[in-house]
Short mmCIF file of all heavy atoms in Angstrom, two decimals:
data_model
loop_
_atom_site.label_atom_id
_atom_site.label_comp_id
_atom_site.label_asym_id
_atom_site.label_seq_id
_atom_site.Cartn_x
_atom_site.Cartn_y
_atom_site.Cartn_z
N ARG I 356 224.52 -97.38 123.25
CA ARG I 356 225.64 -96.67 122.73
C ARG I 356 225.68 -96.59 121.23
O ARG I 356 226.64 -96.03 120.62
CB ARG I 356 226.86 -97.29 123.26
CG ARG I 356 227.09 -98.83 122.91
CD ARG I 356 228.20 -99.39 123.74
NE ARG I 356 229.39 -98.76 123.51
CZ ARG I 356 230.58 -99.08 123.92
NH1 ARG I 356 230.64 -100.18 124.80
NH2 ARG I 356 231.74 -98.46 123.60
N THR I 357 224.67 -97.27 120.45
CA THR I 357 224.71 -97.23 119.03
C THR I 357 223.66 -96.46 118.39
O THR I 357 223.35 -96.67 117.09
CB THR I 357 224.69 -98.71 118.56
OG1 THR I 357 223.36 -99.25 118.97
CG2 THR I 357 225.78 -99.49 119.07
N PHE I 358 223.11 -95.50 119.06
CA PHE I 358 221.92 -94.71 118.57
C PHE I 358 222.29 -94.02 117.21
O PHE I 358 221.45 -94.01 116.28
CB PHE I 358 221.54 -93.70 119.54
CG PHE I 358 220.43 -92.83 118.98
CD1 PHE I 358 219.06 -93.21 118.86
CD2 PHE I 358 220.68 -91.44 118.59
CE1 PHE I 358 218.11 -92.41 118.49
CE2 PHE I 358 219.75 -90.70 118.09
CZ PHE I 358 218.38 -91.12 118.07
N THR I 359 223.52 -93.45 117.10
CA THR I 359 223.82 -92.60 115.92
C THR I 359 224.08 -93.49 114.66
O THR I 359 224.19 -92.92 113.56
CB THR I 359 224.98 -91.83 116.22
OG1 THR I 359 226.12 -92.56 116.58
CG2 THR I 359 224.72 -90.72 117.29
N SER I 360 224.23 -94.79 114.79
CA SER I 360 224.52 -95.67 113.67
C SER I 360 223.26 -96.20 113.04
O SER I 360 223.46 -96.92 111.95
CB SER I 360 225.49 -96.80 114.06
OG SER I 360 224.74 -97.66 115.00
N ASN I 361 222.13 -95.98 113.56
CA ASN I 361 220.85 -96.54 113.08
C ASN I 361 219.98 -95.49 112.33
O ASN I 361 219.92 -94.44 112.73
CB ASN I 361 220.06 -97.06 114.22
CG ASN I 361 220.50 -98.42 114.78
OD1 ASN I 361 220.15 -99.41 114.22
ND2 ASN I 361 221.37 -98.37 115.78
N ALA I 362 219.45 -96.00 111.22
CA ALA I 362 218.30 -95.32 110.69
C ALA I 362 217.09 -95.42 111.63
O ALA I 362 216.98 -96.47 112.36
CB ALA I 362 217.91 -95.90 109.30
N MET I 363 216.25 -94.38 111.74
CA MET I 363 215.13 -94.40 112.67
C MET I 363 213.85 -94.21 111.84
O MET I 363 213.81 -93.60 110.85
CB MET I 363 215.24 -93.36 113.81
CG MET I 363 216.49 -93.47 114.58
SD MET I 363 216.57 -94.90 115.61
CE MET I 363 215.15 -94.59 116.68
N GLY I 364 212.76 -94.82 112.39
CA GLY I 364 211.44 -94.64 111.70
C GLY I 364 210.31 -94.83 112.62
O GLY I 364 210.44 -95.17 113.79
N TRP I 365 209.12 -94.47 112.16
CA TRP I 365 207.83 -94.62 112.74
C TRP I 365 206.95 -95.50 111.93
O TRP I 365 206.88 -95.27 110.68
CB TRP I 365 207.19 -93.36 113.02
CG TRP I 365 207.89 -92.42 114.08
CD1 TRP I 365 208.82 -91.49 113.79
CD2 TRP I 365 207.70 -92.48 115.52
NE1 TRP I 365 209.25 -90.96 115.04
CE2 TRP I 365 208.51 -91.53 116.09
CE3 TRP I 365 206.83 -93.18 116.31
CZ2 TRP I 365 208.57 -91.28 117.50
CZ3 TRP I 365 206.80 -92.92 117.73
CH2 TRP I 365 207.74 -91.97 118.19
N PHE I 366 206.35 -96.47 112.50
CA PHE I 366 205.29 -97.23 111.93
C PHE I 366 204.02 -97.10 112.85
O PHE I 366 204.04 -96.63 113.91
CB PHE I 366 205.70 -98.76 112.03
CG PHE I 366 206.87 -99.14 111.06
CD1 PHE I 366 208.12 -98.77 111.47
CD2 PHE I 366 206.70 -99.70 109.87
CE1 PHE I 366 209.29 -99.07 110.69
CE2 PHE I 366 207.76 -99.97 109.15
CZ PHE I 366 209.08 -99.64 109.50
N ARG I 367 202.81 -97.52 112.23
CA ARG I 367 201.60 -97.50 112.99
C ARG I 367 200.74 -98.76 112.67
O ARG I 367 200.86 -99.29 111.52
CB ARG I 367 200.84 -96.14 112.72
CG ARG I 367 200.36 -96.06 111.20
CD ARG I 367 199.77 -94.68 111.12
NE ARG I 367 199.24 -94.43 109.72
CZ ARG I 367 198.82 -93.31 109.21
NH1 ARG I 367 198.77 -92.18 109.98
NH2 ARG I 367 198.35 -93.20 108.05
N ARG I 368 199.88 -99.01 113.59
CA ARG I 368 198.90 -100.17 113.28
C ARG I 368 197.50 -99.69 113.76
O ARG I 368 197.36 -99.41 114.99
CB ARG I 368 199.33 -101.40 114.06
CG ARG I 368 198.47 -102.60 113.72
CD ARG I 368 198.98 -103.85 114.54
NE ARG I 368 198.87 -103.69 115.93
CZ ARG I 368 199.29 -104.54 116.81
NH1 ARG I 368 199.95 -105.54 116.40
NH2 ARG I 368 199.12 -104.25 118.16
N ALA I 369 196.66 -99.51 112.78
CA ALA I 369 195.24 -99.08 113.11
C ALA I 369 194.47 -100.36 113.50
O ALA I 369 194.83 -101.55 113.10
CB ALA I 369 194.69 -98.40 111.92
N PRO I 370 193.41 -100.24 114.19
CA PRO I 370 192.53 -101.38 114.57
C PRO I 370 192.14 -102.17 113.32
O PRO I 370 191.59 -101.58 112.32
CB PRO I 370 191.36 -100.67 115.22
CG PRO I 370 191.88 -99.39 115.81
CD PRO I 370 192.84 -98.97 114.79
N GLY I 371 192.36 -103.41 113.40
CA GLY I 371 191.89 -104.40 112.31
C GLY I 371 192.81 -104.25 111.06
O GLY I 371 192.45 -104.85 110.01
N LYS I 372 193.89 -103.55 111.09
CA LYS I 372 194.64 -103.39 109.91
C LYS I 372 196.14 -103.84 110.18
O LYS I 372 196.60 -104.00 111.33
CB LYS I 372 194.79 -101.91 109.50
CG LYS I 372 193.29 -101.45 109.04
CD LYS I 372 193.45 -100.04 108.49
CE LYS I 372 192.13 -99.58 108.02
NZ LYS I 372 192.12 -98.10 107.54
N GLU I 373 196.97 -104.00 109.09
CA GLU I 373 198.33 -104.48 109.30
C GLU I 373 199.19 -103.15 109.60
O GLU I 373 198.77 -102.03 109.32
CB GLU I 373 198.84 -105.01 107.97
CG GLU I 373 198.16 -106.33 107.55
CD GLU I 373 198.66 -107.50 108.45
OE1 GLU I 373 199.80 -107.49 108.91
OE2 GLU I 373 197.77 -108.36 108.83
N ARG I 374 200.26 -103.49 110.24
CA ARG I 374 201.24 -102.46 110.51
C ARG I 374 201.77 -101.76 109.16
O ARG I 374 201.96 -102.40 108.25
CB ARG I 374 202.40 -102.96 111.28
CG ARG I 374 203.50 -101.94 111.70
CD ARG I 374 204.62 -102.63 112.30
NE ARG I 374 205.36 -103.58 111.48
CZ ARG I 374 206.00 -104.55 111.86
NH1 ARG I 374 206.32 -104.84 113.16
NH2 ARG I 374 206.64 -105.39 110.88
N GLU I 375 201.87 -100.47 109.23
CA GLU I 375 202.34 -99.83 107.97
C GLU I 375 203.36 -98.81 108.30
O GLU I 375 203.48 -98.23 109.37
CB GLU I 375 201.17 -99.09 107.23
CG GLU I 375 200.59 -97.91 108.02
CD GLU I 375 199.59 -97.10 107.14
OE1 GLU I 375 199.56 -97.32 105.96
OE2 GLU I 375 198.91 -96.29 107.80
N PHE I 376 204.28 -98.59 107.37
CA PHE I 376 205.34 -97.56 107.54
C PHE I 376 204.74 -96.13 107.50
O PHE I 376 203.79 -95.93 106.75
CB PHE I 376 206.32 -97.72 106.28
CG PHE I 376 207.32 -96.55 106.13
CD1 PHE I 376 208.42 -96.56 106.91
CD2 PHE I 376 207.05 -95.58 105.26
CE1 PHE I 376 209.36 -95.55 106.84
CE2 PHE I 376 207.89 -94.52 105.12
CZ PHE I 376 209.16 -94.53 105.88
N VAL I 377 205.31 -95.29 108.22
CA VAL I 377 204.91 -93.80 108.27
C VAL I 377 205.94 -92.86 107.89
O VAL I 377 205.76 -92.17 106.96
CB VAL I 377 204.38 -93.53 109.65
CG1 VAL I 377 203.98 -92.08 109.81
CG2 VAL I 377 203.23 -94.39 110.18
N ALA I 378 207.12 -92.97 108.55
CA ALA I 378 208.25 -92.04 108.21
C ALA I 378 209.57 -92.63 108.63
O ALA I 378 209.58 -93.47 109.58
CB ALA I 378 207.95 -90.70 108.90
N ALA I 379 210.60 -92.20 108.02
CA ALA I 379 211.95 -92.57 108.40
C ALA I 379 212.97 -91.41 108.28
O ALA I 379 212.73 -90.47 107.54
CB ALA I 379 212.38 -93.78 107.54
N ILE I 380 214.16 -91.54 108.92
CA ILE I 380 215.15 -90.59 108.88
C ILE I 380 216.43 -91.35 108.91
O ILE I 380 216.67 -92.37 109.68
CB ILE I 380 214.99 -89.55 109.91
CG1 ILE I 380 216.00 -88.44 109.67
CG2 ILE I 380 215.13 -90.11 111.28
CD1 ILE I 380 215.79 -87.22 110.60
N THR I 381 217.46 -90.94 108.19
CA THR I 381 218.86 -91.53 108.07
C THR I 381 219.51 -91.18 109.38
O THR I 381 219.20 -90.33 110.11
CB THR I 381 219.52 -91.15 106.92
OG1 THR I 381 219.65 -89.66 106.80
CG2 THR I 381 218.99 -91.63 105.61
N SER I 382 220.60 -92.01 109.66
CA SER I 382 221.33 -91.76 110.88
C SER I 382 221.92 -90.34 111.03
O SER I 382 222.00 -89.89 112.20
CB SER I 382 222.57 -92.78 110.89
OG SER I 382 223.34 -92.62 109.84
N GLY I 383 222.26 -89.74 109.88
CA GLY I 383 222.84 -88.35 109.99
C GLY I 383 221.73 -87.26 109.97
O GLY I 383 222.04 -86.13 110.26
N GLY I 384 220.50 -87.70 109.73
CA GLY I 384 219.39 -86.71 109.84
C GLY I 384 219.14 -85.93 108.50
O GLY I 384 218.34 -85.03 108.60
N SER I 385 219.99 -86.23 107.49
CA SER I 385 219.96 -85.53 106.27
C SER I 385 218.85 -85.87 105.28
O SER I 385 218.47 -85.11 104.46
CB SER I 385 221.22 -85.48 105.68
OG SER I 385 221.65 -86.75 105.15
N THR I 386 218.26 -87.02 105.39
CA THR I 386 217.32 -87.53 104.46
C THR I 386 216.13 -88.20 105.16
O THR I 386 216.34 -88.88 106.17
CB THR I 386 217.98 -88.65 103.55
OG1 THR I 386 219.09 -88.12 102.87
CG2 THR I 386 216.96 -89.14 102.48
N THR I 387 214.91 -87.79 104.65
CA THR I 387 213.64 -88.34 105.24
C THR I 387 212.88 -89.03 104.21
O THR I 387 212.96 -88.74 103.01
CB THR I 387 212.93 -87.30 106.02
OG1 THR I 387 212.62 -86.16 105.04
CG2 THR I 387 213.74 -86.60 107.07
N ASP I 388 211.88 -89.84 104.65
CA ASP I 388 211.07 -90.56 103.75
C ASP I 388 209.66 -90.62 104.40
O ASP I 388 209.66 -90.91 105.65
CB ASP I 388 211.62 -91.97 103.49
CG ASP I 388 210.92 -92.69 102.35
OD1 ASP I 388 210.26 -91.91 101.49
OD2 ASP I 388 211.13 -93.82 102.08
N TYR I 389 208.60 -90.56 103.63
CA TYR I 389 207.24 -90.59 104.20
C TYR I 389 206.22 -91.34 103.44
O TYR I 389 206.37 -91.41 102.15
CB TYR I 389 206.64 -89.13 104.33
CG TYR I 389 207.39 -88.21 105.14
CD1 TYR I 389 208.44 -87.41 104.66
CD2 TYR I 389 207.24 -88.15 106.59
CE1 TYR I 389 209.20 -86.57 105.54
CE2 TYR I 389 207.95 -87.26 107.31
CZ TYR I 389 208.88 -86.45 106.86
OH TYR I 389 209.67 -85.62 107.69
N GLU I 390 205.38 -91.97 104.13
CA GLU I 390 204.27 -92.62 103.42
C GLU I 390 203.39 -91.59 102.80
O GLU I 390 203.19 -90.49 103.27
CB GLU I 390 203.44 -93.45 104.39
CG GLU I 390 202.39 -94.45 103.74
CD GLU I 390 201.07 -93.75 103.61
OE1 GLU I 390 200.64 -92.89 104.44
OE2 GLU I 390 200.39 -94.21 102.62
N ASP I 391 202.77 -91.80 101.57
CA ASP I 391 202.06 -90.79 100.89
C ASP I 391 200.98 -90.04 101.60
O ASP I 391 200.83 -88.84 101.45
CB ASP I 391 201.44 -91.42 99.64
CG ASP I 391 202.54 -91.75 98.47
OD1 ASP I 391 203.69 -91.09 98.57
OD2 ASP I 391 202.23 -92.50 97.61
N SER I 392 200.19 -90.76 102.39
CA SER I 392 199.14 -90.19 102.99
C SER I 392 199.48 -89.16 104.20
O SER I 392 198.61 -88.31 104.57
CB SER I 392 198.21 -91.28 103.73
OG SER I 392 198.90 -91.88 104.81
N VAL I 393 200.71 -89.14 104.57
CA VAL I 393 201.13 -88.27 105.67
C VAL I 393 202.05 -87.16 105.13
O VAL I 393 202.42 -86.26 105.94
CB VAL I 393 201.80 -88.94 106.92
CG1 VAL I 393 200.91 -90.08 107.38
CG2 VAL I 393 203.22 -89.48 106.51
N LYS I 394 202.43 -87.15 103.94
CA LYS I 394 203.35 -86.25 103.31
C LYS I 394 202.72 -84.77 103.39
O LYS I 394 201.51 -84.62 103.09
CB LYS I 394 203.69 -86.50 101.80
CG LYS I 394 204.63 -87.62 101.63
CD LYS I 394 204.98 -87.85 100.14
CE LYS I 394 205.99 -88.95 100.08
NZ LYS I 394 206.31 -89.20 98.59
N GLY I 395 203.53 -83.84 103.88
CA GLY I 395 203.01 -82.41 103.99
C GLY I 395 202.33 -82.24 105.40
O GLY I 395 201.96 -81.07 105.70
N ARG I 396 202.04 -83.26 106.06
CA ARG I 396 201.39 -83.22 107.44
C ARG I 396 202.41 -83.53 108.60
O ARG I 396 202.25 -83.10 109.62
CB ARG I 396 200.17 -84.06 107.56
CG ARG I 396 199.06 -83.63 106.41
CD ARG I 396 197.72 -84.30 106.73
NE ARG I 396 197.82 -85.75 106.60
CZ ARG I 396 197.59 -86.57 107.61
NH1 ARG I 396 197.14 -86.09 108.75
NH2 ARG I 396 197.64 -87.93 107.45
#
């Protein structure tokens, strides 16, 4: 019941590497953020 109150994001973990941030979006959906390697894609 609290979905709308949370910021949401995606992380990824490649084989042999640490988990890294990929993308995020605010609770209202108005602001986004991306890791440099995925911007534009």
